[in-house]
Amino acid sequence: MTTSAMPTARLEITAAQARRAAIAAQGLSSALPEAVGVLNRGHLRRMVERLGLLQIDSVNVLARAHFLPLFARLGEYPVDLVSNSAWPARPADRTLLETWAHEASLVPIERQPLLRWRQEKFVDGPWSSAARLRADHPGFLERVLAVVRDEGPLSAGDIEKVLEAPGRGTPGWWGWSTTKTASEYLFAIGAIGTSHRRGFERVYDLTERILPAAVAATPTPPEADAKRALLALSARSHGIGTAGDLADYYRIRNDEAKRALAELAEEGTVIPVRVRGWRDLAYLHKDARIPRKVSGRALLCPFDPLIWERARTERLFGFHYRIEIYTPQPKRVYGYYVFPLLVGDQLVGRFDLKADRATGRLLVQAAWSESGTEPEQVAQDAAVELLRMARWLGLDEVIIMPRGNLHPVLAAVTSLR
């Protein structure tokens, strides 16, 4: 297709309809029962297919980021389902792949061919540290790859023991050694992948030994076709979104997204719509539902795909949200690791959460209700979800600490349960 003209809106919907469509697409339109039945790999696979990806992040103040969106939608599922799907002993059992998608992410394994264009871009892309590595240590990348080929699976630390590795790095999250820089570059370009994780440390192996044979043999689609397919998937996971929203999901450039969405609109995969109060044209996926009412209730982690694009969160919910991990403590407004609480089609509260594993307690370090909400009802809804979360994490007690406008009410409600 060669369509490039900006599509025109075919219908107009309200902001509330758009909000409900987004919630339904994300699997959050119905509240979970107090007790959930046995969950298996099929439940997990269907939910990840629906979401498209799970973002991975190193923060572990409560639980790893890739576990939390599934908890919000499935309830108290066994986290081993994720590990056994993403990092199994046999490649044939792998249904999730760790790769760069939104950020570092887990995606359904069969979508790997759609992301190969990004790996090709990374070869000559924004890896200034890799360029310096090539200049300072000629041949070192090739030596790392050879070690993984001959002796993998190996972590960066394992590789350093085999090689006479230059440059140990500096303290801090991103104070990578030369070996870690080389390993991550090779991971980014698709030469190696994550065989499994040791704690949170990647253990690398050749991509050809990680991928199931059928996926490895799938032809690489042209870049434009891959991006169009990813935008169609993004639209399905969003339900509705602007070109910028849909582009952000798989980190596609906005101008490329607009061209692809024009083609998808011509095909009928997405429907251009005007949302009252939105400045930009929106795209509604052809299979999106717009429920008359939603009744979901969930605590959403900062990396939940419903809210990770902060401008969209504000547009959908009128909810200004920023992660404050990197904000100095005295300047934080709501807390270090804050979970918005979704009830129905509104975000009604914010809760700064931490798992104190040594004492078996879920710490609610701050509790806030939003303006215009009923604090007692917010507290009731929050208490159900906090107690559910504590059970899932294997914690015995929920402690409400004295910070935030909701803490007295929440402490009273939680003590009664």
Side-chain angles (χ1 to χ4, degrees):
M1 291 190 181
T2 58
T3 303
S4 59
M6 176 66 72
T8 56
R10 298 179 194 168
L11 68 134
E12 181 175 285
I13 65 175
T14 66
Q17 287 175 311
R19 185 165 58 249
R20 295 196 299 272
I23 291 168
Q26 284 279 308
L28 288 162
S29 58
S30 300
L32 291 168
E34 287 277 358
V36 178
V38 176
L39 296 167
N40 57 37
R41 282 169 64 103
H43 295 97
L44 175 80
R45 183 176 179 83
R46 287 190 293 274
M47 186 54 70
V48 180
E49 286 279 348
R50 184 173 195 161
L51 299 179
L53 54 85
L54 301 170
Q55 185 174 342
I56 298 171
D57 190 83
S58 60
V59 176
N60 193 28
V61 67
L62 188 77
R64 297 292 184 191
H66 51 285
F67 296 138
L68 289 162
L70 295 171
F71 167 73
R73 292 156 176 82
L74 297 176
E76 298 166 54
Y77 76 100
V79 296
D80 283 352
L81 290 179
V82 178
S83 301
N84 293 337
S85 299
W87 305 291
R90 299 191 314 144
D93 296 332
R94 195 182 310 274
T95 59
L96 299 178
L97 179 71
E98 184 175 341
T99 187
W100 286 98
H102 178 73
E103 295 286 343
S105 304
L106 294 174
V107 302
I109 190 78
E110 63 274 8
R111 295 186 188 169
Q112 188 267 352
L114 297 178
L115 295 163
R116 291 175 189 163
W117 61 270
R118 174 170 284 121
Q119 295 172 339
E120 293 167 0
K121 296 284 189 188
F122 276 143
V123 172
D124 298 311
W127 280 86
S128 60
S129 55
R132 289 195 303 273
L133 189 154
R134 285 188 186 277
D136 296 342
H137 307 286
F140 188 69
L141 283 167
E142 291 74 16
R143 291 173 61 202
V144 169
L145 184 58
V147 167
V148 174
R149 178 183 296 112
D150 294 343
E151 303 192 32
L154 299 170
S155 69
D158 297 330
I159 297 167
E160 283 183 344
K161 293 174 184 176
V162 176
L163 297 174
E164 293 182 4
R168 287 286 177 173
T170 56
W173 284 356
W174 307 117
W176 285 353
S177 69
T178 305
T179 305
K180 179 64 173 175
T181 299
S183 301
E184 286 299 305
Y185 173 74
L186 293 169
F187 173 80
I189 67 173
I192 61 177
T194 306
S195 166
H196 58 281
R197 281 185 177 259
R198 191 182 296 149
F200 196 65
E201 182 183 31
R202 282 190 179 122
V203 178
Y204 306 99
D205 203 354
L206 295 184
T207 297
E208 64 201 56
R209 295 198 292 242
I210 288 173
L211 291 179
V215 175
T218 301
T220 300
E223 182 178 334
D225 291 350
K227 289 177 178 177
R228 187 166 54 247
L230 288 171
L231 284 159
L233 291 168
S234 176
R236 190 179 72 180
S237 295
H238 277 76
I240 188 169
T242 65
D245 297 337
L246 303 184
D248 176 72
Y249 216 63
Y250 291 99
R251 297 294 201 240
I252 295 170
R253 279 174 30 186
N254 280 6
D255 59 333
E256 295 174 320
K258 288 177 181 178
R259 286 194 296 270
L261 287 165
E263 296 174 0
L264 290 170
E266 186 174 288
E267 294 172 1
T269 302
V270 297
I271 303 163
V273 300
R274 284 287 172 198
V275 180
R276 292 173 202 163
W278 290 21
R279 182 189 65 186
D280 295 328
L281 184 72
Y283 297 87
L284 181 73
H285 192 271
K286 66 182 178 64
D287 296 329
R289 294 188 305 113
I290 306 180
R292 294 179 64 87
K293 184 178 180 180
V294 291
S295 57
R297 183 181 60 212
L299 287 163
L300 305 177
C301 84
F303 302 101
D304 192 287
L306 180 64
I307 59 169
W308 69 30
E309 211 298 303
R310 310 307 189 202
R312 182 172 187 258
T313 301
E314 194 153 359
R315 194 183 330 119
L316 280 173
F317 296 99
F319 188 89
H320 181 79
Y321 179 53
R322 298 291 184 272
I323 191 167
E324 297 184 275
I325 289 173
Y326 306 108
T327 303
Q329 195 278 333
K331 295 184 178 181
R332 290 180 196 141
V333 178
Y334 294 105
Y336 181 83
Y337 203 59
V338 172
F339 283 58
L341 175 65
L342 175 72
V343 177
D345 68 349
Q346 300 294 324
L347 296 174
V348 299
R350 309 173 194 238
F351 303 85
D352 181 18
L353 303 181
K354 178 179 181 179
D356 186 346
R357 297 175 181 87
T359 62
R361 302 181 303 168
L362 175 60
L363 305 181
V364 183
Q365 300 185 117
W368 309 85
S369 60
E370 293 297 290
S371 175
T373 62
E374 293 290 336
E376 179 72 26
Q377 186 58 55
V378 174
Q380 293 283 355
D381 288 321
V384 173
E385 296 307 314
L386 290 166
L387 291 166
R388 189 199 308 272
M389 179 175 281
R391 288 195 304 268
W392 176 61
L393 294 172
L395 303 174
D396 300 323
E397 192 176 8
V398 177
I399 301 297
I400 313 301
M401 302 176 76
R403 182 165 184 259
N405 63 5
L406 190 64
H407 84 83
V409 182
L410 182 59
V413 168
T414 306
S415 69
L416 298 175
R417 287 181 172 265

